[in-house]
Amino acid sequence: KNQDFDYALKAENTQSNWDVSIERSADSLNDGDTAVAQFRLSGAAAQAEVGLRSASGKFFGVLIQPNNGKPEARLRYDAGAGLQTGAVLIDRDHFQLDRWYVIKLSLDQDDGFKVRLWRLDDPTSSGEGSLGGFAAETWRFRQRVNQGVLWLDDYFEGVLYRETETRYAAITQYDT
């Protein structure tokens, strides 16, 4: 049992490699589907990869790794030319180890794949990215860890019919 919520799946790797992973046993996602998961990364030198892997070995998701001693989250993908690291989603001044994050990964052949990442207890610490160029095929959720502990709590997948985002601005009002 982890200390924050209920029971969660723990993947621990003390080695400097990507040999420890958690993934679905079968490809279950297609164009139009979305996967959502909660994860937490621990360990001073920890790295994690959280995202979707295709039947042919392609990848779309997030890479968390240290940058000058502090972790940052970046877009990570392989559309057929090998693993690439893309734009920063949450920079090293805002990403925190030992905190729960939510990742939402959407497959859209027409408008590009999309990833949204936010800290569970502070959604203002967030980032998003998108990328096109993936061929139509089936996908599965995968997360793996390098030199650390990676927790997986809630996970669900399916068709996201509607999404609404509400942002509130802080306004100070005085009673006179």
Side-chain angles (χ1 to χ4, degrees):
K1 185 171 182 175
N2 81 55
Q3 71 251 17
D4 294 340
F5 297 117
D6 49 7
Y7 290 95
L9 197 53
K10 176 183 177 184
E12 184 170 5
N13 187 358
T14 59
Q15 304 299 311
S16 181
N17 60 45
W18 294 101
D19 292 347
V20 176
S21 65
I22 297 169
E23 70 180 284
R24 286 190 55 97
S25 61
D27 296 335
S28 55
L29 299 165
N30 294 291
D31 184 33
D33 288 337
T34 296
V36 179
Q38 291 180 7
F39 70 91
R40 183 178 76 187
L41 180 62
S42 302
Q47 298 180 60
E49 201 179 67
V50 181
L52 304 175
R53 185 179 67 79
S54 75
S56 67
K58 295 180 181 74
F59 182 81
F60 178 76
V62 172
L63 172 69
I64 299 120
Q65 66 180 11
N67 176 358
N68 291 324
K70 296 168 76 175
E72 69 181 4
R74 300 179 73 96
L75 183 65
R76 177 84 151 179
Y77 60 93
D78 178 354
L83 276 173
Q84 307 288 317
T85 302
V88 173
L89 301 179
I90 301 179
D91 66 38
R92 61 188 222 97
D93 293 326
H94 294 95
F95 192 93
Q96 297 178 6
L97 294 172
D98 298 308
R99 302 301 286 263
W100 286 100
Y101 284 83
V102 179
I103 187 168
K104 181 179 76 97
L105 301 143
S106 300
L107 304 176
D108 187 335
Q109 293 299 141
D110 297 326
D111 297 322
F113 288 17
K114 293 177 179 53
V115 59
R116 296 186 80 190
L117 178 68
W118 65 93
R119 198 167 79 213
L120 187 60
D121 64 349
D122 181 9
T124 62
S125 181
S126 65
E128 58 186 85
S130 64
L131 187 69
F134 290 97
E137 57 184 313
T138 56
W139 297 75
R140 71 175 73 181
F141 178 80
R142 179 185 77 189
Q143 68 177 36
R144 55 188 189 163
V145 62
N146 182 330
Q147 288 185 302
V149 178
L150 184 58
W151 296 86
L152 173 64
D153 198 22
D154 287 339
Y155 174 80
F156 58 93
E157 60 187 34
V159 176
L160 184 65
Y161 290 102
R162 190 167 105 179
E163 179 180 17
T164 303
E165 181 178 319
T166 304
R167 293 184 184 228
Y168 297 95
I171 299 173
T172 305
Q173 296 182 353
Y174 297 98
D175 186 13
T176 57

